[in-house]
Amino acid sequence: MNPRRIALLAIGGNALLKEKERGLQEEQLENARETAEMLARVVAEGYALCVVHGNGPQVGNLLIQQEAGSGQIPPYSLDICGAMTQGSMGYMLERMLINRLRFTGLDAPVTSVLTEVVVDKEDKGFQDPTKPVGPFYPEFRALELMRSKRWKMKEDSGRGWRKVVPSPKPIEIVQLDAIKTLLQSGSSVIAGGGGGIPVIRDASGFLVGVEAVIDKDRLSALLAAQLDADLFIILTGVAKVALDFGKPSQRWVDRLTASEARKHLAEGQFPPGSMGPKIESALAYLEGGGHEVLITTAEALATEDPATVGTRIVRD
């Protein structure tokens, strides 16, 4: 069997839970249906598709649910909460993509893989946790949680106190071989949800879950490189990358080499809070042996020609 071209597509958690939505199951299923239409277009182009989704809004809601019921049912740790959202979101995307592929006559299998990702227990992120997760707490409750659970917590802009956790770099994808096998067998695969379930290896090499959040874009770049993906698709809020964004001299870019992208990044063209992390992920993938990155919006990918849409970043 000839190896299939692989496309890895990274979507945010807001693909299923949009801003100002309540998080109802019906809302998320409808959003999953819309997302599946876009994913099916990539499959129709002949790619073996791997999807990595964010889970920030979903984990946040789950932590709020657990806090509300903590007097009756002990809450789960963050790694298990990540696994729970991988399962629920994977199921919603999986079901809708199976149905969409059948509707379009492709009728190909779709599989979700519960994905653990190893991080370094000595990662500097564990010494200085910065990633806020979960609900806001009044100060008295935060002090109680810091004492009883030894949580790290920080006051957040006058809105209350929040738990902060490390965001270590991903170094190993435990289910990598299984993901590769599924892709080459013809399945579309949903993997690495939320950046993966964070685990460390103990002195015996056994896996141990940890309280952390792995950046979804970092994990996507690592997975795309290790799959030797032909195309890494990063979805964002604009149809193309722009130089001098928001200025009178703004101009859209169809294509960049890795060295051009790196130069513009160093010049401050891509701010840390917006396009910067996407460009950094693209460069990490290309530096890891990747071939081509496509940056665009979900709407553009769903309605325009995938061969010409968005901005392409390629190796020099």
Side-chain angles (χ1 to χ4, degrees):
M1 181 176 64
N2 292 328
R4 304 181 69 210
R5 292 186 304 159
I6 294 174
L8 187 139
L9 191 149
I11 59 176
N14 55 7
L16 265 64
L17 180 52
K18 297 178 181 177
E19 189 176 359
K20 297 184 179 178
E21 288 184 342
R22 293 173 58 195
L24 297 175
Q25 176 176 310
E26 293 77 11
E27 291 172 336
Q28 296 193 66
L29 284 168
E30 175 59 22
N31 293 336
R33 186 193 63 77
E34 293 176 1
T35 299
E37 293 182 11
M38 178 258 301
L39 299 177
R41 286 177 62 89
V42 180
V43 177
E45 289 293 309
Y47 286 99
L49 176 64
C50 183
V51 181
V52 177
H53 62 79
N55 68 348
Q58 289 79 8
V59 164
N61 283 354
L62 181 56
L63 292 171
I64 291 170
Q65 287 178 330
Q66 294 201 121
E67 171 64 16
S70 61
Q72 295 178 285
I73 301 172
Y76 289 111
S77 58
L78 190 56
D79 57 318
I80 294 180
C81 289
M84 292 168 73
T85 56
Q86 272 198 20
S88 60
M89 296 176 72
Y91 160 65
M92 287 187 277
L93 287 167
E94 181 181 283
R95 172 152 65 95
M96 293 303 174
L97 183 53
I98 288 171
N99 289 344
R100 183 63 187 175
L101 291 173
R102 171 162 289 192
F103 177 78
T104 57
L106 293 170
D107 215 8
V110 183
T111 307
S112 298
V113 177
L114 207 61
T115 312
E116 295 155 287
V117 176
V118 178
V119 299
D120 184 353
K121 62 183 177 182
E122 302 299 328
D123 189 293
K124 63 181 181 180
F126 286 103
Q127 280 70 55
D128 183 25
T130 58
K131 179 72 175 178
V133 296
F136 292 92
Y137 295 93
E139 184 175 9
F140 78 89
R141 176 65 172 149
L143 292 172
E144 177 188 346
L145 289 168
M146 285 189 282
R147 178 186 57 78
S148 63
K149 296 192 175 185
R150 298 188 177 183
W151 283 3
K152 300 270 188 171
M153 303 191 74
K154 291 183 180 180
E155 200 279 329
D156 191 335
S157 306
R159 296 180 293 176
W161 290 68
R162 293 184 80 187
K163 181 179 182 179
V164 289
V165 299
S167 184
K169 293 181 181 180
I171 57 177
E172 177 192 348
I173 299 162
V174 177
Q175 285 76 26
L176 179 64
D177 287 344
I179 295 167
K180 286 181 177 179
T181 299
L182 286 163
L183 288 168
Q184 293 303 339
S185 71
S187 282
S188 294
V189 181
I190 300 160
I197 304 163
V199 296
I200 60 171
R201 290 196 182 274
D202 67 13
S204 299
F206 297 132
L207 299 176
V208 180
V210 291
E211 290 266 316
V213 173
I214 300 170
D215 182 82
K216 177 259 301 177
D217 289 326
R218 276 182 172 174
L219 184 277
S220 298
L222 177 64
L223 181 55
Q226 294 195 349
L227 290 174
D228 194 24
D230 300 272
L231 179 63
F232 177 24
I233 305 172
I234 303 174
L235 299 184
T236 186
V238 290
K240 292 186 178 183
V241 173
L243 297 176
D244 295 341
F245 185 74
K247 300 177 181 178
S249 56
Q250 174 180 307
R251 55 200 185 277
W252 301 108
V253 180
D254 294 325
R255 185 180 178 88
L256 287 170
T257 64
S259 59
E260 289 171 336
R262 194 176 296 107
K263 174 176 174 288
H264 293 312
L265 181 67
E267 292 171 347
Q269 285 281 357
F270 309 124
S274 55
M275 189 60 71
K278 311 295 183 187
I279 299 296
E280 289 173 354
S281 294
L283 291 172
Y285 158 72
L286 293 171
E287 288 163 2
H291 305 280
E292 184 178 22
V293 180
L294 169 61
I295 299 179
T296 190
T297 62
E299 294 76 14
L301 192 61
T303 58
E304 300 178 29
D305 183 353
T308 59
V309 73
T311 299
R312 307 267 170 164
I313 305 177
V314 298
R315 287 190 290 186
D316 293 312

